[in-house]
Amino acid sequence: MAEAAKQKKLTVFDLQAKVDRGEKIFQVTAVDFPTAQLVDRSGIDCILIGDSLGMTALGYESTVPVTMDEMIHHAKAISRAAKRALLVGDLPLGAYHACTEDAVNSAMRMIKEGGADVVKLEGGEEFAPMAKAVVDAGVPVMAHIGLTPQLMSKLGGFKVQGKNATAGVQLLKDALALEQAGCFAIVLEAIPDRVAQLITDRLRIPTIGIGAGSYCDGQNLVLHDMVGLFDRFTPKFVKRYANCWDLISKALVDFQEDVKSGGFPKAEHSFTMKEDEYLNLLQHLPKT
Ligand code: KIV
């Protein structure tokens, strides 16, 4: 772990090199300083400053209300922690949808103020001009297609995408347009594994799957989902590696019981005073 922390900062070229060597890319969404430290020190390649933090850290029902200012606030904390991983800053709904100028300005804010290394934006070929403008301005872009939660009203909710032939072909067209626009990698969220395989085989850039099967060049999970820190729902594509919710709930119950029973605090949690200082203090107590 400590060794991973000492290694040099990863770049987009290191991701491509991993894929060329036949190795998988690991990407995990973190939301703040401690979660980013944990992810960075574990050796994960990319920390995603994902707008899913709107749900896992801010309590929104979806990612739709998340603002650029909220993203920057979290990005700053995460970038203070990330010493090795490539930092991918999500651009939230509204930050790039109107025009290429908005896209470039938002991407620059994410890099300059938030401290991210690259940005990610959701959407298919209709957003290729925005992606290209950001790449041309000098900021590497990770694309994101399939289930794009920012556009969940248009998609009819959190639903698997690309399930029929027409939708599958459209996803491939989207991926190719975004690669053509200069994106360096693409997230494939909640699509059939066979569609993800077709896309991965046809693209030169790495695919990072989340609910897109095992064939992708890399995998993404949201830390809060994988360690059980989000209790509202668990998508089918999540594997839970720990149950932090139960662990923390038990600690909170144990704390209350300890305080009631005298089990906490004990001498080892308290501060002492020298005997002579204490006697001195008693002599100088104000008269009541
Ligand atoms: O916001 C996020 O965490 C994401 C991942 C689900 C890819 O966009």
Side-chain angles (χ1 to χ4, degrees), residues 135-180:
V135 173
D136 288 348
V139 178
V141 175
M142 180 179 283
H144 179 166
I145 61 168
L147 173 54
T148 47
Q150 291 173 6
L151 303 177
M152 63 179 236
S153 316
K154 181 178 157 192
L155 303 179
F158 290 104
K159 288 188 179 154
V160 179
Q161 301 297 306
K163 281 175 83 173
N164 60 44
T166 314
V169 168
Q170 183 56 49
L171 283 174
L172 179 56
K173 283 186 186 164
D174 289 337
L176 289 167
L178 289 156
E179 177 177 82
Q180 183 67 30

Coordinates of all heavy atoms in Angstrom, one line a residue, residues 135-180:
V135 N -11.1 18.6 -25.8 CA -9.8 18.0 -26.2 C -8.9 19.0 -26.9 O -7.7 19.1 -26.6 CB -10.0 16.7 -27.1 CG1 -8.7 16.2 -27.6 CG2 -10.8 15.6 -26.3
D136 N -9.5 19.7 -27.9 CA -8.8 20.7 -28.7 C -8.2 21.8 -27.7 O -7.2 22.5 -28.0 CB -9.6 21.4 -29.8 CG -9.9 20.4 -30.9 OD1 -9.2 19.3 -30.9 OD2 -10.8 20.7 -31.7
A137 N -8.9 22.1 -26.6 CA -8.4 23.1 -25.7 C -7.3 22.6 -24.8 O -6.8 23.3 -24.0 CB -9.6 23.6 -24.9
G138 N -7.1 21.3 -24.9 CA -5.9 20.7 -24.2 C -6.3 19.9 -23.0 O -5.4 19.5 -22.2
V139 N -7.5 19.5 -22.8 CA -7.9 18.7 -21.6 C -8.4 17.4 -22.1 O -9.4 17.3 -22.9 CB -9.1 19.4 -20.8 CG1 -9.5 18.6 -19.7 CG2 -8.6 20.8 -20.4
P140 N -7.7 16.3 -21.7 CA -8.2 15.0 -22.1 C -9.6 14.6 -21.6 O -10.0 15.0 -20.4 CB -7.2 14.0 -21.4 CG -6.0 14.9 -21.1 CD -6.5 16.2 -20.8
V141 N -10.4 13.9 -22.4 CA -11.8 13.7 -22.1 C -12.0 12.2 -22.0 O -11.7 11.4 -23.0 CB -12.7 14.3 -23.1 CG1 -14.2 13.9 -22.8 CG2 -12.6 15.8 -23.1
M142 N -12.7 11.7 -21.0 CA -13.2 10.4 -20.9 C -14.7 10.5 -21.2 O -15.4 11.3 -20.6 CB -13.0 9.8 -19.4 CG -13.6 8.4 -19.2 SD -13.3 7.8 -17.5 CE -11.5 7.4 -17.6
A143 N -15.2 9.7 -22.2 CA -16.6 9.7 -22.5 C -17.4 8.7 -21.6 O -16.8 7.9 -20.9 CB -16.7 9.3 -24.0
H144 N -18.7 8.8 -21.7 CA -19.5 7.9 -20.9 C -20.9 7.7 -21.6 O -21.6 8.7 -21.8 CB -19.8 8.6 -19.5 CG -20.6 7.9 -18.5 ND1 -20.7 8.2 -17.2 CD2 -21.5 6.8 -18.7 CE1 -21.5 7.4 -16.6 NE2 -22.0 6.6 -17.5
I145 N -21.1 6.5 -22.1 CA -22.4 6.2 -22.8 C -23.1 5.0 -22.2 O -22.6 4.3 -21.2 CB -22.1 5.9 -24.3 CG1 -21.2 4.7 -24.5 CG2 -21.5 7.1 -25.0 CD1 -21.1 4.2 -25.9
G146 N -24.3 4.7 -22.7 CA -25.1 3.6 -22.1 C -26.1 4.3 -21.2 O -26.8 5.3 -21.5
L147 N -26.1 3.8 -19.9 CA -26.9 4.5 -18.9 C -26.2 5.7 -18.5 O -25.1 5.6 -17.8 CB -27.2 3.5 -17.7 CG -27.9 4.1 -16.5 CD1 -29.2 4.8 -16.9 CD2 -28.1 3.0 -15.5
T148 N -26.7 6.9 -18.9 CA -26.1 8.1 -18.5 C -27.1 8.8 -17.5 O -28.1 9.4 -17.9 CB -25.9 9.0 -19.8 OG1 -27.1 9.0 -20.5 CG2 -24.8 8.5 -20.6
P149 N -26.8 8.6 -16.2 CA -27.8 9.0 -15.2 C -28.3 10.5 -15.3 O -29.4 10.8 -14.9 CB -27.1 8.7 -13.9 CG -26.1 7.7 -14.2 CD -25.7 8.0 -15.6
Q150 N -27.4 11.4 -15.8 CA -27.8 12.8 -15.9 C -29.1 12.9 -16.8 O -29.9 13.8 -16.6 CB -26.7 13.6 -16.5 CG -25.5 13.8 -15.6 CD -24.3 14.5 -16.3 OE1 -24.5 15.0 -17.4 NE2 -23.2 14.6 -15.6
L151 N -29.2 12.0 -17.8 CA -30.3 12.1 -18.7 C -31.3 11.1 -18.5 O -32.0 10.5 -19.4 CB -29.7 12.0 -20.2 CG -28.7 13.0 -20.6 CD1 -28.1 12.7 -22.0 CD2 -29.2 14.4 -20.5
M152 N -31.5 10.7 -17.1 CA -32.4 9.6 -16.8 C -33.9 9.9 -17.2 O -34.6 9.0 -17.4 CB -32.3 9.2 -15.4 CG -32.7 10.2 -14.4 SD -32.5 9.5 -12.7 CE -34.1 9.8 -12.1
S153 N -34.3 11.2 -17.2 CA -35.7 11.4 -17.6 C -35.9 11.0 -19.1 O -36.9 10.4 -19.4 CB -36.0 12.9 -17.5 OG -35.5 13.4 -16.4
K154 N -34.9 11.3 -19.9 CA -35.0 10.9 -21.3 C -34.9 9.4 -21.5 O -35.6 8.8 -22.3 CB -33.8 11.6 -22.1 CG -33.7 11.3 -23.5 CD -32.5 12.1 -24.1 CE -32.1 11.4 -25.4 NZ -30.8 11.9 -25.9
L155 N -34.1 8.7 -20.6 CA -34.0 7.3 -20.7 C -35.1 6.5 -20.0 O -35.1 5.3 -20.1 CB -32.6 6.9 -20.1 CG -31.3 7.5 -20.7 CD1 -30.1 7.1 -20.0 CD2 -31.2 7.3 -22.2
G156 N -35.9 7.2 -19.2 CA -37.0 6.5 -18.5 C -36.5 5.9 -17.2 O -37.1 5.0 -16.7
G157 N -35.5 6.5 -16.6 CA -35.0 6.0 -15.3 C -33.7 5.3 -15.4 O -33.0 5.3 -16.4
F158 N -33.3 4.6 -14.3 CA -32.0 3.9 -14.2 C -32.2 2.6 -14.9 O -32.5 1.6 -14.2 CB -31.6 3.7 -12.8 CG -31.2 5.0 -12.1 CD1 -32.0 5.6 -11.1 CD2 -29.9 5.5 -12.3 CE1 -31.6 6.7 -10.5 CE2 -29.6 6.7 -11.7 CZ -30.4 7.3 -10.8
K159 N -32.2 2.5 -16.2 CA -32.5 1.3 -17.0 C -31.3 0.9 -17.8 O -30.6 1.7 -18.4 CB -33.6 1.6 -17.9 CG -35.0 1.7 -17.2 CD -36.1 1.8 -18.3 CE -37.4 1.9 -17.6 NZ -38.4 2.5 -18.4
V160 N -31.2 -0.4 -18.0 CA -30.2 -1.0 -18.9 C -30.4 -0.5 -20.3 O -31.6 -0.4 -20.8 CB -30.2 -2.5 -18.9 CG1 -29.2 -3.1 -19.9 CG2 -30.0 -3.1 -17.5
Q161 N -29.4 -0.1 -21.0 CA -29.5 0.5 -22.4 C -28.9 -0.5 -23.4 O -28.2 -1.4 -23.1 CB -28.7 1.8 -22.4 CG -29.1 2.9 -21.4 CD -30.6 3.3 -21.7 OE1 -30.9 3.7 -22.8 NE2 -31.4 3.2 -20.6
G162 N -29.3 -0.2 -24.7 CA -28.7 -1.0 -25.8 C -29.2 -2.5 -25.8 O -28.5 -3.4 -26.2
K163 N -30.5 -2.7 -25.4 CA -30.9 -4.1 -25.3 C -31.5 -4.6 -26.6 O -31.6 -5.8 -26.8 CB -32.0 -4.2 -24.2 CG -31.4 -4.2 -22.8 CD -32.4 -4.2 -21.8 CE -33.0 -5.6 -21.4 NZ -33.9 -5.5 -20.3
N164 N -31.8 -3.8 -27.6 CA -32.2 -4.3 -28.9 C -31.2 -3.9 -30.0 O -30.3 -3.1 -29.7 CB -33.6 -3.9 -29.3 CG -33.7 -2.4 -29.4 OD1 -32.9 -1.7 -30.0 ND2 -34.8 -1.8 -28.8
A165 N -31.3 -4.5 -31.2 CA -30.3 -4.3 -32.2 C -30.1 -2.8 -32.5 O -28.9 -2.3 -32.6 CB -30.7 -5.1 -33.4
T166 N -31.2 -2.1 -32.7 CA -31.1 -0.7 -33.1 C -30.3 0.1 -32.0 O -29.4 0.9 -32.3 CB -32.5 -0.1 -33.2 OG1 -33.3 -1.0 -34.0 CG2 -32.5 1.3 -33.9
A167 N -30.7 -0.1 -30.7 CA -30.1 0.6 -29.6 C -28.6 0.2 -29.5 O -27.7 1.0 -29.2 CB -30.8 0.4 -28.4
G168 N -28.3 -1.1 -29.8 CA -26.9 -1.6 -29.7 C -26.1 -0.9 -30.8 O -24.9 -0.5 -30.5
V169 N -26.6 -0.8 -32.0 CA -25.9 -0.2 -33.1 C -25.6 1.3 -32.8 O -24.6 1.9 -33.0 CB -26.7 -0.3 -34.4 CG1 -26.1 0.5 -35.5 CG2 -26.6 -1.8 -34.9
Q170 N -26.7 2.0 -32.2 CA -26.5 3.4 -31.9 C -25.4 3.6 -30.8 O -24.6 4.5 -30.9 CB -27.8 4.0 -31.3 CG -27.8 5.4 -31.0 CD -27.4 6.3 -32.2 OE1 -27.9 6.1 -33.3 NE2 -26.4 7.2 -32.0
L171 N -25.3 2.6 -29.9 CA -24.2 2.8 -28.9 C -22.8 2.7 -29.6 O -21.9 3.4 -29.2 CB -24.4 1.7 -27.8 CG -25.4 1.9 -26.8 CD1 -25.6 0.7 -25.8 CD2 -25.1 3.2 -25.9
L172 N -22.7 1.8 -30.5 CA -21.5 1.6 -31.2 C -21.2 2.9 -32.0 O -20.0 3.4 -32.0 CB -21.5 0.4 -32.2 CG -20.3 0.2 -33.0 CD1 -19.0 0.0 -32.1 CD2 -20.4 -1.1 -33.9
K173 N -22.2 3.5 -32.6 CA -22.0 4.8 -33.4 C -21.5 5.8 -32.4 O -20.7 6.7 -32.7 CB -23.3 5.2 -34.0 CG -23.6 4.4 -35.3 CD -24.9 5.1 -35.9 CE -25.4 4.3 -37.1 NZ -26.7 4.7 -37.5
D174 N -22.2 5.9 -31.2 CA -21.8 6.9 -30.2 C -20.3 6.7 -29.8 O -19.6 7.7 -29.8 CB -22.7 6.7 -29.0 CG -24.1 7.1 -29.2 OD1 -24.4 7.9 -30.1 OD2 -25.0 6.6 -28.4
A175 N -20.0 5.5 -29.6 CA -18.6 5.2 -29.1 C -17.6 5.6 -30.2 O -16.6 6.3 -29.9 CB -18.4 3.7 -28.8
L176 N -17.9 5.3 -31.4 CA -17.0 5.6 -32.5 C -16.9 7.2 -32.7 O -15.8 7.7 -32.9 CB -17.4 5.0 -33.8 CG -17.2 3.5 -33.9 CD1 -18.0 2.8 -35.0 CD2 -15.7 3.1 -33.9
A177 N -18.0 7.9 -32.6 CA -18.0 9.3 -32.7 C -17.2 10.0 -31.6 O -16.4 10.9 -31.8 CB -19.4 9.9 -32.7
L178 N -17.3 9.4 -30.4 CA -16.5 10.0 -29.3 C -15.0 9.7 -29.4 O -14.2 10.5 -29.1 CB -17.1 9.5 -28.0 CG -18.5 10.1 -27.7 CD1 -19.4 9.3 -26.8 CD2 -18.4 11.6 -27.2
E179 N -14.7 8.5 -29.9 CA -13.3 8.2 -30.1 C -12.7 9.2 -31.2 O -11.7 9.7 -31.1 CB -13.1 6.7 -30.6 CG -11.7 6.4 -30.9 CD -11.5 4.9 -31.3 OE1 -11.8 4.6 -32.5 OE2 -11.2 4.1 -30.5
Q180 N -13.5 9.3 -32.3 CA -13.2 10.2 -33.4 C -13.0 11.7 -32.8 O -12.1 12.4 -33.3 CB -14.3 10.2 -34.4 CG -14.0 11.0 -35.7 CD -12.9 10.4 -36.5 OE1 -12.6 9.2 -36.5 NE2 -12.2 11.3 -37.2

